[in-house]
Amino acid sequence: MKFRHHACAFILAAAFAGAHAQGAAPVTPAASASLLAQALALSDGVQPQVVEWRRHIHQNPELAYQETGTAKYIAQALAGMPGVEIRTGIAGTGIKAVLRGALPGPVVALRADMDALPVEERNDLPFRSTAKGDWLGKQVPVSHVCGHDTHVAMLLGAARVLSSLRGQLAGTVVFIFQPAEEIGPGLGKSSGAMAMVREGVLDNPKVDVVLGQHISNQAPAGAIRYRPGPMLASIDVFNIKFKGVGGHGAAPWASNTPMLAAAETVLGLQNIVSHRLNPTIDGGPTIVTTGMLQSGNRFNVLPETAEISGTIRALSATNQKIAQEEIRRRATGIAASYGVQADVKIDSGDGYEVLVNDPQATLSLVGAFGAAAGSASKVSQMPASMGSEDFGAFGSTGVPVVFWMLNASPMGDKDGPVNHSPLFQVDESAMRVGVRALAAATLSQLASAKSAGR
Ligand SMILES: [Zn+2]
Ligand SMILES: [Zn+2]
């Protein structure tokens, strides 16, 4: 994931009350309370193993679609859990593990992403990464500075907990370990989530809801933030190449100056957001930013080419499409006014659309989050973010999804270095809450989906 997380919007007064207000989980209270208590105790007990798993994966990070060692390690860990059926090699390195409860019921999927980033870690840790990997044909340092090592470890922890409880579970749990969340648009490859969806990861058994969590640098560690509806933005990468007639700097009239067309286009894109997009529709905000402008290499030579590149981030699929059309229209129109050609490419990638949490399912989990965090005061609703995630790809099939954030700042009441920073670190104690959240949310969904007759 690529973004800065935001501060809490508000604190819920009573997590369980909130859940009931949304009509969640009218199951036998004693039975569900007992099962939840067992799940939370087992989650606490598995914490030392979760830390060990996490440190091994942290020290052995692998880049997108290269997670072979990670997948092997995960499969070995899952093999020791009773009742878990494992299928490997989905979308390359992806793993799907299925745990069937003793009783019939709905199918809840839990997802973790496995890939690391081409970033050199600068943390002074005994398990610091010194790994290298191939990124776009170059050997580069690799590290888990987005915390996907913790996601894998926490999901393994939840699998162990739920495996221990399988005799009491009414329904099926599917554990998804996906490759290549970080691949992003622009490289011509599908995101790992989309690739697994295409290979049928949500079928057989047919999944009713997909749950996922992301660790963040925010304080306080162990707090949980959620958001019903649009939560994370889509990504587009745009690239525009201008081609015209170059010349001598002392005779500009003989050139048609593609550089000027590029510069004017950079400015021309700026009012798309202010004047062409409706901020009140769908999820609302959309951003258009230009991050690259290149042309020429000498003061008295007018170049015959210029290039700009940037990104669209949208919480509204409608605004995303309008922004794409406006970028094309403006670039080609401005270029034409100079007599210059503009070649516009916009790549939305495959699997990076707006992440929209199912509102009802999200709100029904607030009580489970409170139980996991130990207090309703540690659970809050967050604002949407313009960062992106491929978790939304699971939702693109029509299956409801719920994604939440787990705070894990290692710096007390201050936020730590942001995800993707070479100094990104987590407070490992937050993983205990993460395992509890996955287990409690699963039990809640099994119960509420059953009551909803799904
Ligand atoms: Zn990331
Ligand atoms: Zn991430």
Side-chain angles (χ1 to χ4, degrees):
M1 188 163 50
K2 305 141 197 92
F3 62 93
R4 173 86 189 160
H5 308 300
H6 300 279
C8 304
F10 63 86
I11 304 292
L12 284 170
F16 277 99
H20 285 286
Q22 296 301 323
V27 291
T28 311
S32 89
S34 155
L35 194 53
L36 176 62
Q38 290 177 67
L40 296 178
L42 286 165
S43 299
D44 294 347
V46 81
Q47 169 72 359
Q49 175 67 79
V50 170
V51 169
E52 188 185 323
W53 281 326
R54 183 257 166 164
R55 291 185 180 186
H56 175 90
I57 297 164
H58 189 90
Q59 207 162 8
N60 297 277
E62 293 168 306
L63 292 166
Y65 287 124
Q66 301 173 39
E67 309 93 338
T68 50
T70 307
K72 198 171 163 195
Y73 187 72
I74 292 167
Q76 281 169 354
L78 289 169
M81 298 179 196
V84 176
E85 306 156 23
I86 307 161
R87 203 180 129 207
T88 59
I90 305 171
T93 55
I95 295 176
K96 173 183 177 179
V98 179
L99 174 71
R100 290 173 210 278
L103 303 163
V107 181
V108 177
L110 306 175
R111 168 272 205 172
D113 39 10
M114 303 188 288
D115 57 327
L117 281 157
V119 173
E120 183 167 20
E121 180 176 14
R122 296 214 308 265
N123 289 314
D124 184 17
L125 295 169
F127 50 94
R128 181 175 83 94
S129 167
T130 55
K132 295 228 157 134
D134 179 88
W135 184 252
L136 306 176
K138 279 190 198 156
Q139 280 295 109
V140 294
V142 180
S143 61
H144 267 297
V145 288
C146 202
H148 298 185
D149 51 338
T150 69
H151 299 173
V152 169
M154 290 187 286
L155 188 52
L156 284 173
R160 175 166 282 186
V161 168
L162 294 165
S163 161
S164 305
L165 297 172
R166 69 192 182 287
Q168 299 174 63
L169 295 184
T172 298
V173 189
V174 175
F175 305 95
I176 298 171
F177 296 88
Q178 73 153 81
E181 189 284 319
E182 300 280 7
I183 194 102
L187 299 179
K189 291 188 178 168
S190 300
S191 82
M194 187 56 93
M196 287 192 86
V197 166
R198 292 233 171 79
E199 292 200 18
V201 74
L202 300 183
D203 304 322
N204 190 30
K206 186 152 179 38
V207 168
D208 293 304
V209 63
V210 188
L211 312 179
Q213 66 181 349
H214 205 298
I215 205 156
S216 88
N217 68 322
Q218 293 221 327
I224 292 174
R225 291 170 296 133
Y226 66 92
R227 180 168 186 82
M231 175 181 179
L232 296 171
S234 59
I235 312 184
D236 290 90
V237 178
F238 65 84
N239 179 276
I240 308 168
K241 290 189 170 70
F242 298 86
K243 190 158 182 2
V245 179
H248 197 296
W253 55 86
S255 161
N256 60 9
T257 51
M259 183 192 284
L260 287 185
E264 195 169 318
T265 300
V266 171
L267 296 176
L269 301 186
Q270 299 313 306
N271 64 26
I272 292 174
V273 171
S274 64
H275 282 73
R276 287 291 171 269
L277 305 183
N278 178 348
T280 68
I281 56 171
D282 300 350
T286 298
I287 283 169
V288 177
T289 50
T290 307
M292 188 193 88
L293 164 59
Q294 289 179 348
S295 184
N297 53 23
R298 188 177 157 85
F299 76 96
N300 61 355
V301 177
L302 299 179
E304 62 180 20
T305 61
E307 184 176 356
I308 67 177
S309 190
T311 189
I312 307 169
R313 301 295 177 104
L315 284 162
S316 151
T318 307
N319 281 338
Q320 180 189 11
K321 287 195 178 52
I322 296 170
Q324 292 168 347
E325 288 162 12
E326 288 290 332
I327 288 171
R328 286 183 203 284
R329 191 206 313 274
R330 284 164 198 235
T332 52
I334 291 169
S337 75
Y338 283 85
V340 167
Q341 294 291 318
D343 178 21
V344 183
K345 287 196 167 56
I346 302 178
D347 187 340
S348 305
D350 183 33
Y352 294 94
E353 57 272 6
V354 185
L355 191 167
V356 183
N357 287 317
D358 183 86
Q360 192 187 353
T362 304
L363 291 169
S364 79
L365 292 181
V366 173
F369 295 152
S375 163
S377 67
K378 291 184 177 162
V379 180
S380 62
Q381 187 165 162
M382 63 182 275
S385 162
M386 302 314 291
S388 303
E389 243 282 350
D390 76 344
F391 185 76
F394 296 111
S396 69
T397 60
V399 174
V401 299
V402 184
F403 196 64
W404 65 87
M405 306 300 304
L406 174 65
N407 288 9
S409 169
M411 300 175 69
D413 58 1
K414 289 198 181 71
D415 295 348
V418 71
N419 294 56
H420 292 205
S421 155
L423 296 171
F424 178 74
Q425 270 199 66
V426 301
D427 176 345
E428 288 178 324
S429 73
M431 293 195 294
R432 184 183 70 87
V433 175
V435 174
R436 288 162 62 104
L438 289 168
T442 300
L443 296 181
S444 169
Q445 278 299 300
L446 288 176
S448 64
K450 184 171 64 177
S451 70
R454 288 217 296 257

